[in-house]
Amino acid sequence: MGVQWSDAADGPIGGDLTAVLAYATPAGGAVLTPIAPIGLRDRDAGRLTFTTSLGFGRKLDRIRSNPAIALAYHDRAHGFGASSAYVLVQGRATIVERPDREYLETVVGPAAARFLGAPRRGPFWDRWLAAYYADRVPVHVDIERVVTWPDLRCAGDPVVDGEPLPAGPPASQAPPKKGAVPRVDVAKGARRLRGMSDLLLGYPGADGRPWVVPVGLRADDPRGYELSAAPGLLHPGARRAGLVGHRYNAQLVGLAMRQHTGWLEVADDGSARYAPHTDAGFAAPANKTLLLLTNGFLARRGLKQAQRARAAEAAT
């Protein structure tokens, strides 16, 4: 029997169109990326599920190396939930390396169609989207903790189901060997982030589980981004952290995302500065057909890269 979560948490878990997935990096930081969880969960078993494509192999490799992940349910837009709660789920992920085709077709398929619309079918689409639809793998998450705040800003004290939160903050980390200052164009990155509707920050907590919370971009200068957050939400200290901003329309049409890894410094008064070290992202077409063409291309390219990487690893 896994962790049983509240009805307040179940609304977002079962109804949000998007969530932000956080997983650890080998250097002790975190990567944040938006996903579409499509409401797959089993409350009795204390488990939820999301899917991803084998074409996104780097994400899967990181989760295999460190299965401690988190999912942040932070936005009700274009979903089915009416709750105002922010829900952070922390647990251990298991990738289903050889998924059951019947499960994908009878469970995942209808759930995805509810949120994303019916899949395109036909000779061209079946071939073009093979890496995106047919080669998807489920990732089961055995839940260890569910943290629920009453509003999306994470103001006030949360309700915790499962393991209690750590008593203290995570320890500060030593600065990176290449330095803690920004390594990308801060002004350009800030302009891109201000075009996103949601901005979330994440890093490993004191128990190693990713801590993912909403933040605001208050200002920027050559030293990095000045971030704002609800009082007490960010842990004092200095550490590696991930930052992601995204926006989307119904069925994820028009999806855009900017993703950073970098260095976070939080003062005792809660003021926070983030120095971005990497910058990645995309803006998908605001047209369903063009979006599917793009998804197919990216998944096919990623799958080929993953296959080449695994073949090279097997040969060494």
Side-chain angles (χ1 to χ4, degrees):
M1 183 73 67
V3 171
Q4 306 299 293
W5 59 86
S6 66
D7 290 342
D10 191 59
I13 292 173
D16 281 9
L17 175 59
T18 67
V20 163
L21 167 69
Y23 53 92
T25 67
V31 173
L32 275 59
T33 187
I35 64 167
I38 62 175
L40 297 173
R41 80 275 195 211
D42 184 338
R43 291 182 75 178
D44 292 335
R47 169 181 282 187
L48 61 81
T49 299
F50 64 91
T51 67
T52 189
S53 170
L54 288 170
F56 303 117
R58 188 174 186 184
K59 178 201 312 181
L60 293 173
D61 289 340
R62 291 278 175 85
I63 293 174
R64 288 186 190 100
S65 299
N66 185 343
I69 63 97
L71 289 164
Y73 295 83
H74 62 285
D75 192 339
R76 303 294 95 85
H78 309 299
F80 301 98
S83 166
S84 62
Y86 180 101
V87 180
L88 178 63
V89 174
Q90 298 172 319
R92 298 188 70 79
T94 301
I95 300 166
V96 181
E97 304 286 355
R98 292 179 174 81
D100 180 84
R101 187 59 53 189
E102 182 179 359
Y103 175 81
L104 293 176
E105 292 179 354
T106 63
V107 177
V108 174
R114 178 173 177 246
F115 286 87
L116 303 175
R120 296 287 178 91
R121 294 299 185 192
F124 170 78
W125 290 111
D126 289 347
R127 183 175 66 255
W128 184 253
L129 294 174
Y132 187 75
Y133 285 143
D135 292 329
R136 295 195 76 77
V137 293
V139 181
H140 297 313
V141 182
D142 292 310
I143 297 173
E144 298 168 321
R145 181 187 296 133
V146 178
V147 188
T148 306
W149 285 266
D151 66 49
L152 294 173
R153 299 171 302 150
C154 296
D157 295 327
V159 174
V160 180
D161 296 310
E163 295 186 21
L165 290 170
S172 290
Q173 298 174 334
K177 291 182 179 179
K178 295 182 180 180
V181 299
R183 302 175 194 169
V184 299
D185 189 322
V186 172
K188 181 185 293 185
R191 286 196 301 271
R192 289 169 169 170
L193 288 177
R194 288 191 175 97
M196 304 299 160
S197 359
D198 297 285
L199 187 62
L200 288 91
L201 177 77
Y203 49 85
D207 56 6
R209 298 181 179 96
W211 181 253
V212 185
V213 292
V215 294
L217 179 54
R218 179 176 290 165
D220 66 276
D221 61 37
R223 297 172 298 167
Y225 307 141
E226 183 183 345
L227 302 179
S228 61
L233 202 57
L234 300 180
H235 300 96
R239 56 189 58 90
R240 292 174 175 85
L243 184 69
V244 70
H246 71 119
R247 68 172 188 268
Y248 57 96
N249 300 322
Q251 298 184 359
L252 296 185
V253 175
L255 173 67
M257 182 267 287
R258 297 309 307 179
Q259 183 184 59
H260 291 306
T261 59
W263 185 252
L264 173 69
E265 295 183 354
V266 181
D268 290 339
D269 63 2
S271 59
R273 183 169 296 278
Y274 185 82
H277 292 168
T278 65
D279 182 11
F282 64 88
N287 174 282
K288 187 64 175 288
T289 298
L290 292 177
L291 174 64
L292 292 175
L293 289 170
T294 302
N295 286 344
F297 171 76
L298 293 175
R300 288 157 67 93
R301 184 180 66 179
L303 182 59
K304 289 180 181 179
Q305 291 172 344
Q307 290 170 339
R308 285 196 296 267
R310 290 185 182 179
E313 183 178 351
T316 58

